[in-house]
């Protein structure tokens, strides 16, 4: 696993994670473990494909051809046992962009859209910025994990919800929803005629003993009311290349989605994003398998260290490279907690409160970095907590 142990200097590369510390934390004296990209190099096959394309030195309009689509179709079949038709694919610069388009395609102003909180912060914006109403069905905390409150979930659907934005694996709590849970979500959404917009960008990053199940793969009936948003960006650390896609089996829904892409002037992928996506899906699997083992090891290290040496509790994750840390034992409000991690621990994390009121007194930590950096960050937290 030496490839994932090398520390690379990302400063002065226009990196959001490393070069925007002053703007985000009002100081450059923090170790950045926040925004969701990795401090690992992409698979060498991706870099080689990009270099080969750059050598051509002409970067005109680029088509998403049958080979690019085949790389996605084969990846979903191989990794997730989901057989899709290449005609079901729509392309986008990013999953958040697709969420915006899907909300507009499936709902109207003043419609209600359900989310399960605490949840990825853009979910609120893609609803509210299009004059839709946020309806929350909070997840239930059970020890060091979370579960769906299906009684509340159904009660909210009864109130006239038009669409549900699913996060699977869930960001930030790290749940990989099980088959039985997804079947119940699907059953209830079908019962109340609710569209599903499924953010599955972390779907490849499940831990080796878990299985990601695309909700659209459950049945033809559920596929017909679902738009699934996916990308290689989180999987292979390609976010800056802006390449993602949506899978929509229902031709009428797909036509509506594509219409909103068109009227916003979005017509596919940029040349290098196109190249990277294909190379990653065709050749990146061994790299990903190794990464999954690294992330499990990192997760276990952080959980064991923080829980052994502090009263902080790390929620048991099942996937992603993001940890959800319960900091209630510090007895601080959210503003003080944020300041504590910046000024005392000197570690830059995401504020839990940004994921909804259910995230109050939590912090989100990115563990996708070499072990050397991870150990330094954890030790800073331990020292700060111990001396507080």
């Amino acid at each position: 696993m030496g490839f994932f142990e090398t520390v690379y200097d990302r400063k002065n590369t226009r990196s959001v994670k490393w070069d925007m510390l002053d703007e985000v934390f009002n100081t450059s004296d923090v170790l950045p473990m926040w925004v969701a990209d990795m401090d690992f190099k992409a698979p060498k096959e991706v870099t080689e494909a990009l270099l080969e394309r750059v050598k051509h030195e002409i970067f005109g309009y680029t088509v998403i051809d049958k080979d690019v689509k085949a790389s996605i179709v084969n990846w979903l079949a191989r990794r997730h046992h989901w057989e899709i038709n290449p005609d079901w694919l729509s392309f986008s610069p990013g999953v958040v962009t697709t969420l915006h388009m899907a909300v507009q395609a499936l709902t109207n102003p003043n419609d209600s859209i359900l989310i399960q909180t605490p949840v990825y912060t853009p979910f609120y914006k893609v609803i509210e910025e299009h004059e839709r109403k946020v309806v929350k069905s909070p997840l239930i905390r059970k020890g060091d994990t979370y579960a769906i409150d299906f009684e509340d979930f159904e009660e909210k659907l009864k109130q006239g919800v038009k669409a549900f934005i699913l996060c699977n694996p869930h960001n930030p709590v790290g749940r990989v929803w099980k088959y039985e849970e997804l079947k119940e979500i699907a059953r209830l959404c079908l019962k109340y005629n609710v569209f599903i917009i499924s953010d599955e960008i972390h779907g490849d990053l499940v831990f080796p003993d878990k299985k990601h199940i695309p909700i659209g793969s459950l049945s033809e009936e559920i596929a017909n009311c679902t738009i699934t948003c996916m990308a290689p960006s989180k999987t292979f650390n390609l976010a800056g290349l802006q390449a993602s896609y949506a899978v929509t089996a229902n031709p009428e829904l797909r036509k509506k989605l594509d219409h909103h892409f068109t009227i916003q002037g979005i017509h596919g992928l940029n040349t290098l994003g196109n190249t990277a996506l294909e190379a990653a899906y065709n050749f990146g699997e061994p790299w990903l398998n190794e990464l999954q083992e690294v992330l499990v090891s990192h997760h276990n290290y952080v959980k064991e260290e923080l829980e052994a040496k502090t009263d902080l509790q790390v929620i048991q994750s099942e996937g992603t490279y993001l940890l959800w840390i319960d900091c209630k034992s510090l007895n601080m409000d959210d503003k003080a907690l944020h300041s504590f991690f910046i000024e005392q621990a000197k570690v830059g994390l995401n504020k839990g409160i940004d994921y909804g009121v259910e995230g109050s007194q939590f912090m989100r930590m990115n563990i996708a970095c070499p072990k050397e950096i991870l150990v330094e960050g954890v030790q800073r937290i331990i020292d700060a907590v111990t001396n507080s």
Side-chain angles (χ1 to χ4, degrees):
M1 295 186 181
F3 184 88
F4 295 100
E5 294 174 357
T6 303
V7 176
Y8 302 101
D9 184 2
R10 297 185 62 193
K11 294 179 181 177
N12 302 312
T13 63
R14 297 176 180 156
S15 163
V16 169
K17 187 177 186 179
W18 287 87
D19 291 330
M20 290 190 66
L21 297 180
D22 284 315
E23 292 86 342
V24 176
F25 300 105
N26 294 316
T27 177
S28 60
D29 188 25
V30 294
L31 189 65
M33 306 182 81
W34 61 296
V35 69
D37 74 9
M38 298 189 278
D39 293 322
F40 303 133
K41 286 187 176 180
K44 64 180 179 62
E45 294 87 353
V46 173
T47 303
E48 290 169 355
L50 289 169
L51 289 172
E52 189 63 31
R53 182 63 186 83
V54 168
K55 284 180 185 177
H56 188 266
E57 299 184 71
I58 299 175
F59 308 104
Y61 296 115
T62 304
V63 65
I64 302 171
D65 62 14
K66 62 180 179 60
D67 291 335
V68 175
K69 293 179 180 179
S71 72
I72 297 170
V73 171
N74 293 336
W75 180 264
L76 295 180
R78 191 165 66 247
R79 294 294 293 196
H80 305 301
H81 309 290
W82 190 17
E83 302 289 341
I84 72 161
N85 187 313
D87 292 340
W88 297 357
L89 295 169
S90 304
F91 292 86
S92 166
V95 162
V96 173
T97 302
T98 304
L99 294 177
H100 278 282
M101 301 299 118
V103 163
Q104 294 177 84
L106 301 183
T107 66
N108 296 307
N110 296 316
D111 280 350
S112 295
I113 300 178
L114 184 68
I115 57 176
Q116 294 172 308
T117 53
V119 75
Y120 184 46
T121 52
F123 281 21
Y124 297 91
K125 291 184 178 180
V126 302
I127 297 170
E128 295 171 336
E129 289 181 356
H130 299 294
E131 300 178 346
R132 276 66 167 172
K133 298 175 183 176
V134 172
V135 176
K136 300 194 299 183
S137 180
L139 298 174
I140 304 171
R141 172 79 178 274
K142 291 190 173 182
D144 68 349
T145 188
Y146 282 81
I148 297 171
D149 183 344
F150 278 110
E151 184 176 338
D152 180 74
F153 187 84
E154 181 170 14
E155 190 60 36
K156 299 295 171 56
L157 294 184
K158 286 180 182 178
Q159 298 173 14
V161 164
K162 297 298 183 182
F164 163 54
I165 306 180
L166 172 65
C167 195
N168 183 32
H170 192 93
N171 175 11
V173 309
R175 274 299 317 277
V176 176
W177 303 118
K178 297 177 182 178
Y179 176 81
E180 294 77 12
E181 293 168 313
L182 293 170
K183 284 289 287 185
E184 183 63 5
I185 288 171
R187 184 187 73 81
L188 291 171
C189 287
L190 288 171
K191 179 179 179 180
Y192 294 101
N193 296 312
V194 173
F195 292 112
I196 299 173
I197 303 168
S198 189
D199 176 355
E200 302 188 14
I201 195 170
H202 293 279
D204 296 318
L205 296 171
V206 300
F207 293 171
D209 63 336
K210 303 299 177 183
K211 180 182 179 182
H212 174 69
I213 303 171
I215 194 166
S217 70
L218 295 183
S219 70
E220 182 176 350
E221 190 177 19
I222 196 65
N224 276 328
C225 66
T226 301
I227 293 175
T228 303
C229 309
M230 303 177 118
S233 53
K234 292 290 185 284
T235 309
F236 298 104
N237 208 26
L238 306 177
L241 292 174
Q242 298 185 321
S244 80
Y245 55 93
V247 182
T248 313
N250 185 322
E252 293 182 9
L253 297 189
R254 189 169 62 252
K255 183 178 179 180
K256 290 179 180 179
L257 179 67
D258 289 344
H259 170 71
H260 282 277
F261 279 125
T262 298
I263 63 177
Q264 295 298 328
I266 298 171
H267 301 289
L269 304 181
N270 70 72
T271 301
L272 297 186
N274 204 12
T275 299
L277 182 152
E278 181 183 18
Y281 281 159
N282 284 343
F283 306 110
E285 199 156 12
W287 183 96
L288 175 58
N289 292 338
E290 190 172 341
L291 172 65
Q292 288 174 303
E293 299 290 346
V294 170
L295 295 182
V296 171
S297 175
H298 283 195
H299 167 277
N300 293 343
Y301 170 79
V302 176
K303 185 171 177 64
E304 290 167 7
E305 284 291 299
L306 289 185
E307 293 186 352
K309 298 176 181 177
T310 73
D311 288 329
L312 302 179
Q313 184 177 15
V314 179
I315 298 301
Q316 179 67 46
S317 185
E318 298 173 339
T320 83
Y321 49 75
L322 306 166
L323 294 190
W324 192 233
I325 304 175
D326 184 342
C327 304
K328 293 185 177 69
S329 62
L330 296 177
N331 295 313
M332 299 179 188
D333 63 26
D334 292 300
K335 183 177 180 181
L337 185 64
H338 183 55
S339 297
F340 171 80
F341 276 91
I342 296 170
E343 298 168 8
Q344 304 301 317
K346 297 188 181 301
V347 175
L349 308 182
N350 289 101
K351 295 179 290 183
I353 191 65
D354 289 346
Y355 301 84
V357 295
E358 298 82 5
S360 179
Q361 297 181 295
F362 279 79
M363 300 295 284
R364 193 190 77 165
M365 181 182 190
N366 181 343
I367 62 170
C369 58
K371 186 68 175 289
E372 178 181 331
I373 293 177
L374 187 72
V375 170
E376 173 66 22
V378 169
Q379 192 58 53
R380 289 187 186 194
I381 295 170
I382 291 171
D383 289 345
V385 172
T386 302
N387 296 323
S388 64

